[in-house]
Amino acid sequence: MSIVRWDSRFTFWLLFLLDISILLVINPARSQADIPPSTVSPVSNNTVVPASGQSPVFFADRNNSVVEQVIPVSQLLSPVPKNSASPVSSHQVRSSDDNAAMGQVNSVSQLSDIKPTDWAFQALQSLVERYGVIAGYPNQTFQGNRAMTRYEFAAGLNAALARINELVSAGTSDLLRKEDLETLQKLQNQFAPELAQLRGKVDSLETRTAAVQAQQFSTTTKLVGQVAGVVAGIVAGNNVVTKQPAPHNFTFSDSVNLKLNTSFNGTDQLRITLGANNTTPSGATRSGILGTNDGKTSDYASPLFPSNQLIVSGVRYRYLLGSNTAINVFAQSDGAFELGLSGTINPYFEGSAANGISRYSRRNMVYDYGDTGAGIAILHNFSKQLELGLEYTSINGNNPTENNGLFEGRYVALGQLLYSSPKKNFRLALTYANTYSPPNTTGLSGTNFGPVIGSNLANSTVAGKGTLANTYGAEAFYRINPSLAVNGWVGYSAHRYLENGDAEVWDWGAGLSFPDLFQKGSLGGIFVGMEPKLTSLSPNVNLGNGNGVADKDTSLHIEGFYQYQVNDNIAITPGVIWITAPDFNASNPDSVVLWLRTTFRF
């Protein structure tokens, strides 16, 4: 529906239409008694036509709201009940509340927000005092700058025409002056081009609106998605298990992510995520091309499903509990990601199929223990600066067998306290996660335990035994200026291999981001860190390298990328991942992965 502005210009135009309509009254006037009672005839779902003689109520709302308090046309044009104790006169004003009413304004001075210095003051004065067709709001205001609908304009015009009928019927020809008619004729000629242009714009807008309504996916559900195509290859490095050179082949793969976002009341959201992927990871724990999780890219397919099989990768319902608390209930989701819905700690690196190339450059390891599953996340704002997040995910919550289910199987329980500065240019988070994995259980990623990044020892368990971890993280982000931001984190995890012994794992990372680098909307990023490293191990525990043997060397993760924003929908991101001493063993030659990702968003 087209929207016009009910400001002083349209006050003038109503006066213009009122007077020019007098020129068009050429039939003998009927008396007021001959005018049939007012009725409303529905034409379509969006159109209401007043019958001849209707005198609609003019410009009243409940509490001066522009958007939510527009009076329904059914109330504006509704007939007066015959048995009404206090009948509404032909020009009486009624608000959307049937109990609130104000009589016709007799003087423009009754409108508190109209001043003699207003450029349309004389037009308003004429409409109020000469013709008696303008009424105000119950609070004695006119509100000349608020938006009005075409229904309201039609109601006002109808009131003016009704007034014309009264004047003609009463024979008040003294109100029709030759000077007025000559002025109106001049105005009609002067504004003819503008009226024609306005009519064309309105018609065009209505046509486009009708096309959008006819072609829209849904009135309550919005479909958003992205498709990524990746050309990638390992150009240096060995398999850390076989010690043989890794194949230096380039591949072309894809990933698809579709989200259906539905809101039932405007504050809640049901999200269903569909995904498909055929990207092969560069490595996993003692498997894959490189034989390690070091340098694992962020875009890779689940090993449990065939390539490019469309799966439901997420089902989540989010609703508000009061004004400061949001509840996310999910049957399938990455629970740690749910805590980032109010804003990630690492915004320029973290994102789905965008920004950072590797999984590690996006997140501290504290968020990577576990897998997708069912659970709940709660976000509560103590203030605009301080937020508490709590999350529980059951990795195999849909599986009723032994060592599975919501509470007996693999889980991650995570808590986070997040501080954001008033200007939102600084964020600091303190995070804790408790996770447990029964023996021989895996999730969608195909893993049993561990941060899914870093060394093979950090991701290993004792065969046939359960594993428990308490993980702590501190993450920070600071935007120095619009073109430069820095972020960093440190993480510590205490592993307990039940009935065997303990281990400690550390990680750290730091990144520089360059928003709008070379072009507005583009982004450059540099990241350096140490992926999760097993720094100590109980003497009687063997995780594959011997009793009590931990990672002996230090490996660095070095990454760079440039996301070139072609337009609002397309981004091209070349990048490189360089791992020194893969699997934290200096005898392994450095590995280098080149990456070129093109992302389409819609």
Side-chain angles (χ1 to χ4, degrees):
M1 179 178 65
S2 300
I3 301 297
V4 297
R5 297 289 301 178
W6 182 252
D7 55 13
S8 300
R9 301 182 190 86
F10 277 90
T11 301
F12 172 82
W13 278 111
L14 184 59
L15 178 63
F16 168 72
L17 290 172
L18 176 66
D19 283 345
I20 202 65
S21 298
I22 295 175
L23 298 177
L24 303 178
V25 181
I26 59 177
N27 294 323
R30 294 182 295 172
S31 67
Q32 191 71 16
D34 294 330
I35 300 176
S38 58
T39 59
V40 178
S41 304
V43 176
S44 67
N45 291 334
N46 299 317
T47 307
V48 179
V49 178
S52 175
Q54 175 70 24
S55 299
V57 182
F58 214 4
F59 316 138
D61 74 357
R62 184 170 303 167
N63 57 5
N64 303 334
S65 172
V66 173
V67 177
E68 296 182 356
Q69 300 299 330
V70 175
I71 303 175
V73 72
S74 60
Q75 294 184 20
L76 280 172
L77 304 182
S78 57
V80 180
K82 294 181 179 180
N83 59 353
S84 173
S86 302
V88 181
S89 66
S90 61
H91 306 296
Q92 184 178 2
V93 176
R94 298 168 60 194
S95 74
S96 57
D97 186 342
D98 291 337
N99 297 322
M102 186 186 79
Q104 168 65 41
V105 176
N106 299 317
S107 172
V108 72
S109 62
Q110 293 179 250
L111 302 173
S112 61
D113 57 344
I114 299 300
K115 301 177 182 179
T117 54
D118 292 336
W119 72 272
F121 177 80
Q122 291 183 349
L124 280 170
Q125 187 178 42
S126 179
L127 286 171
V128 171
E129 300 175 4
R130 182 180 176 190
Y131 293 105
V133 296
I134 285 291
Y137 288 87
N139 61 358
Q140 301 287 333
T141 62
F142 180 67
Q143 298 185 28
N145 290 322
R146 69 172 287 267
M148 70 173 294
T149 67
R150 294 179 69 191
Y151 287 142
E152 291 174 302
F153 184 79
L157 179 60
N158 195 55
L161 294 175
R163 178 59 173 159
I164 292 174
N165 285 333
E166 292 181 7
L167 294 176
V168 174
S169 299
T172 53
S173 58
D174 57 313
L175 292 176
L176 305 178
R177 296 181 300 198
K178 181 178 179 181
E179 295 82 357
D180 292 340
L181 300 181
E182 291 177 350
T183 300
L184 290 172
Q185 287 177 339
K186 292 180 181 179
L187 289 172
Q188 185 180 25
N189 294 332
Q190 291 176 0
F191 285 92
E194 287 80 0
L195 287 172
Q197 186 179 22
L198 178 61
R199 186 182 305 111
K201 289 182 178 180
V202 170
D203 292 342
S204 175
L205 182 59
E206 289 183 335
T207 301
R208 293 169 60 186
T209 302
V212 170
Q213 291 177 342
Q215 298 172 8
Q216 66 181 342
F217 176 77
S218 170
T219 57
T220 58
T221 300
K222 182 178 181 180
L223 170 65
V224 295
Q226 57 191 22
V227 177
V230 175
V231 176
I234 299 171
V235 296
N238 288 358
N239 184 298
V240 301
V241 177
T242 66
K243 306 300 181 181
Q244 299 299 312
H248 297 172
N249 294 327
F250 278 83
T251 61
F252 179 44
S253 59
D254 67 81
S255 65
V256 178
N257 188 275
L258 304 175
K259 292 183 175 67
L260 299 170
N261 297 323
T262 302
S263 181
F264 302 100
N265 58 27
T267 61
D268 65 340
Q269 184 189 70
L270 173 65
R271 168 172 288 183
I272 300 175
T273 304
L274 307 176
N277 201 325
N278 70 346
T279 305
T280 301
S282 57
T285 304
R286 297 188 178 88
S287 64
I289 297 175
L290 294 176
T292 177
N293 289 291
D294 278 350
K296 176 179 284 187
T297 58
S298 57
D299 313 313
Y300 61 88
S302 169
L304 303 184
F305 300 96
S307 293
N308 277 336
Q309 176 176 313
L310 189 66
I311 64 173
V312 178
S313 56
V315 178
R316 182 259 289 159
Y317 180 63
R318 174 183 174 93
Y319 65 96
L320 298 181
L321 186 65
S323 59
N324 296 314
T325 305
I327 309 293
N328 301 326
V329 179
F330 46 91
Q332 183 72 16
S333 179
D334 179 353
F337 178 74
E338 298 295 324
L339 294 184
L341 291 178
S342 60
T344 65
I345 311 300
N346 193 11
Y348 291 123
F349 280 84
E350 183 172 351
S352 178
N355 305 343
I357 296 171
S358 71
R359 186 180 181 97
Y360 183 60
S361 69
R362 297 185 177 189
R363 292 184 178 185
N364 189 352
M365 71 172 179
V366 69
Y367 303 107
D368 277 318
Y369 281 80
D371 211 325
T372 60
I376 185 171
I378 302 173
L379 296 169
H380 176 73
N381 291 319
F382 294 109
S383 66
K384 292 182 179 180
Q385 277 71 57
L386 194 61
E387 177 190 82
L388 173 66
L390 301 173
E391 172 267 322
Y392 177 86
T393 302
S394 177
I395 310 305
N396 299 304
N398 64 320
N399 190 339
T401 61
E402 186 178 2
N403 290 332
N404 287 292
L406 275 175
F407 306 110
E408 300 297 327
R410 188 178 174 195
Y411 73 83
V412 176
L414 190 148
Q416 176 174 280
L417 196 61
L418 171 65
Y419 170 79
S420 300
S421 66
K423 294 184 178 180
K424 305 301 182 183
N425 61 339
F426 174 73
R427 310 193 90 191
L428 174 66
L430 301 176
T431 313
Y432 166 75
N434 174 267
T435 180
Y436 168 70
S437 292
N440 307 317
T441 58
T442 59
L444 286 180
S445 66
T447 61
N448 165 255
F449 172 80
V452 202
I453 46 179
S455 74
N456 287 333
L457 292 179
N459 287 275
S460 295
T461 60
V462 176
K465 302 296 182 181
T467 310
L468 182 70
N470 290 290
T471 305
Y472 309 84
E475 304 82 31
F477 166 81
Y478 179 55
R479 186 173 63 247
I480 300 173
N481 57 54
S483 301
L484 178 63
V486 60
N487 70 282
W489 66 70
V490 61
Y492 168 78
S493 184
H495 293 185
R496 172 154 292 179
Y497 312 101
L498 300 182
E499 303 177 3
N500 282 263
D502 303 317
E504 293 182 322
V505 176
W506 286 88
D507 80 313
W508 58 266
L512 289 174
S513 305
F514 306 93
D516 298 329
L517 183 63
F518 304 132
Q519 175 182 295
K520 188 174 180 60
S522 295
L523 174 68
I526 299 174
F527 178 85
V528 178
M530 182 186 76
E531 296 196 25
K533 173 185 178 181
L534 192 83
T535 57
S536 67
L537 182 65
S538 296
N540 59 325
V541 179
N542 186 342
L543 296 179
N545 289 3
N547 287 343
V549 177
D551 290 319
K552 60 180 181 180
D553 298 316
T554 296
S555 174
L556 292 180
H557 176 119
I558 303 171
E559 179 178 336
F561 69 88
Y562 178 67
Q563 181 173 291
Y564 173 69
Q565 199 69 35
V566 179
N567 53 43
D568 291 340
N569 304 102
I570 302 175
I572 300 175
T573 309
V576 59
I577 302 172
W578 173 23
I579 304 296
T580 68
D583 201 33
F584 294 86
N585 188 336
S587 65
N588 293 322
D590 296 0
S591 63
V592 178
V593 177
L594 297 183
W595 199 259
L596 178 62
R597 177 180 59 223
T598 302
T599 307
F600 304 87
R601 298 177 181 272
F602 56 90

